[in-house]
Amino acid sequence: MSPGPLRDPSRGPAPVVPPLPARGAAGAVNAVDAAKTVDAVDAVGPGDDLDAARRADALAGRTVLVPRAPERAAGLAATLRGAGAHVLVSPAIERAPVEDTAPVDGALARLLHGDFAWVVVTSVNAIDELLASAARQGVDLGDAARRARWAAVGPATRRALEAVGVTVELEPDENSARGLVAAFAALPPSDQTSTSADQASTSGDHGSTSGNQASTSRGRGVVLLPQGDLAAPTMHDGLHDLGYVPHVVTVYRTVTHTLAPDVVAAWRAGAVDAVVLTSGSVAREVARQLGPRDDVVGVAIGDPTARAARDVGLRLDAVAERPTDAALAAALVGALADTHTTAGSAALPHEPASPPEGAQAAALVVALAATRTTAGSAALPDDPAAPPAAGTTGVDPTPEGDPS
């Protein structure tokens, strides 16, 4: 499958996701970004540019809550601040280790034995935990990875796997669990069935089927799914329906992080104009810690997050076209502009507006980037956030591509 724009990078201190290509002088983008900008400008007319500028103006003076860890929110927050918004950053959730590492250690041992046809990774958090398990057992994850085929939910996860020596063979165009299931369904028959007797069987040492069973007796092979404790069953159920044998291992937990007192005070005082929701867990914590408000514009990173927001009664105005900072900024600006053009009347809750599409979204991103460049900030990144700085610990367990 062809890779799309980079999105939703690593959580946790390791592995370090390889950086994007270096940008040029301050306010300038590299050749690839410049080509994208030219394409966007060529695709729109003067009227669209003016409309994008008016939408960018919608951020001026607005207060936006981004309930993520500072290092994960940095890219989006800088973009919004560069356009004149006041941004409150405070994490609502964080990652925690599992109490019992025996399951993940057992899964890694099975991987070394060749028990899995595929390993499917939907979060860089999972890579962190697989690396930790490999270290505990004195093995190299890259070496162990050669005994199975690997799939990643998106480019950032793929880059993180490649950084530790893992070759990724499958990546969906739609960066979500649903998109990844569809990518498996689209594989040619020759790629759907394990061709290795080692991969198609499991070790008797782990209480599974003995190694002398043929691959046909195990369908299309056993698939390892290292996930967080709150992961939805989308991958498991989808692969099972396709004839695979999913093996889910919980490798990290998602826990509550208390929002900062100034954030709580601002929310209760009605000083927050919009909130950006980056996972179902974040939506649930915002509702639990702050409570729903009909006067706060809500923007979700994807459909699963949007569903979770609706379920807990949060107002929802827009869903980002893609799980990136650029798309989140475009959706947020569009939603705020819509509320402004209706003379201050609130948008109807649970009726999300369609974010700018195609050329309009591209023009909006160009306008936002230009605003930031004028303000002396870096141009809008393609990644939803930069990798954590050296020595920092990313604590936002939001999966790439919103597969929750």
Side-chain angles (χ1 to χ4, degrees), residues 64-74 77 81 86-94 256-267 272 275-278 281-283 285-286 289-290 395-398:
V64 180
L65 171 59
V66 182
R68 307 185 86 175
E71 63 274 12
R72 294 288 292 112
R81 287 172 180 142
H86 174 56
V87 184
L88 301 174
V89 175
S90 179
I93 58 175
E94 63 183 349
T256 294
H257 189 286
T258 302
L259 290 164
D262 60 328
V263 169
V264 176
W267 184 276
V272 177
V275 60
V276 177
L277 305 169
T278 52
S281 300
V282 167
E285 281 304 310
V286 166
Q289 296 189 47
L290 300 177
V395 294
D396 184 351
T398 305

Side-chain angles (χ1 to χ4, degrees), residues 126-338:
I127 307 172
D128 296 342
E129 301 308 326
L130 291 175
L131 282 169
S133 177
R136 287 192 294 269
Q137 300 181 61
V139 299
D140 180 79
L141 181 60
D143 291 339
R146 296 186 181 94
R147 304 302 302 274
R149 306 174 73 183
W150 289 67
V153 73
T157 304
R158 168 179 50 79
R159 290 191 299 141
L161 285 167
E162 291 171 347
V164 296
V166 178
T167 299
V168 174
E169 297 187 44
L170 185 63
E171 177 188 338
D173 291 321
E174 177 190 333
N175 302 121
S176 67
R178 183 169 54 186
L180 196 46
V181 170
F184 269 96
L187 287 174
S190 60
D191 284 338
Q192 290 179 346
T193 303
S194 172
T195 57
S196 166
D198 287 337
Q199 289 181 348
S201 61
T202 57
S203 168
D205 292 340
H206 298 91
S208 301
T209 308
S210 62
N212 59 4
Q213 283 188 294
S215 62
T216 54
S217 68
R218 301 189 63 78
R220 293 177 175 174
V222 184
V223 180
L224 174 60
L225 300 175
Q227 299 180 333
D229 62 332
L230 299 183
T234 307
M235 280 305 312
H236 174 280
D237 293 351
L239 290 174
H240 180 270
D241 290 345
L242 290 174
Y244 294 93
V245 181
H247 179 67
V248 176
V249 177
T250 299
V251 296
Y252 66 89
R253 297 180 297 123
T254 300
V255 298
T256 294
H257 189 286
T258 302
L259 290 164
D262 60 328
V263 169
V264 176
W267 184 276
R268 291 177 178 172
V272 177
D273 297 296
V275 60
V276 177
L277 305 169
T278 52
S279 75
S281 300
V282 167
R284 287 185 286 271
E285 281 304 310
V286 166
R288 188 184 71 83
Q289 296 189 47
L290 300 177
R293 289 191 68 112
D294 288 339
D295 58 348
V296 177
V297 169
V299 174
I301 195 172
D303 289 331
T305 298
R307 289 193 294 269
R310 294 188 190 98
D311 288 345
V312 294
L314 294 178
R315 169 176 165 174
L316 187 65
D317 295 76
V319 180
E321 280 191 326
R322 309 188 73 135
T324 65
D325 276 349
L328 280 169
L332 178 61
V333 170
L336 287 172
D338 287 343

Side-chain angles (χ1 to χ4, degrees), residues 6-21 23 69-76 124 128 155-157 159-160 163 325 381-395:
L6 296 174
R7 54 185 60 82
D8 225 353
S10 61
R11 300 62 151 176
V16 176
V17 178
L20 293 170
R23 297 181 182 271
E71 63 274 12
R72 294 288 292 112
L76 179 60
V124 178
D128 296 342
T157 304
R159 290 191 299 141
D325 276 349
D382 289 323
D383 257 351
T392 65
T393 300
V395 294

Side-chain angles (χ1 to χ4, degrees), residues 294 297 315 317 335 339 342 345-349 351:
D294 288 339
V297 169
R315 169 176 165 174
D317 295 76
T339 63
T342 54
S345 60
L348 292 176
E351 292 291 338

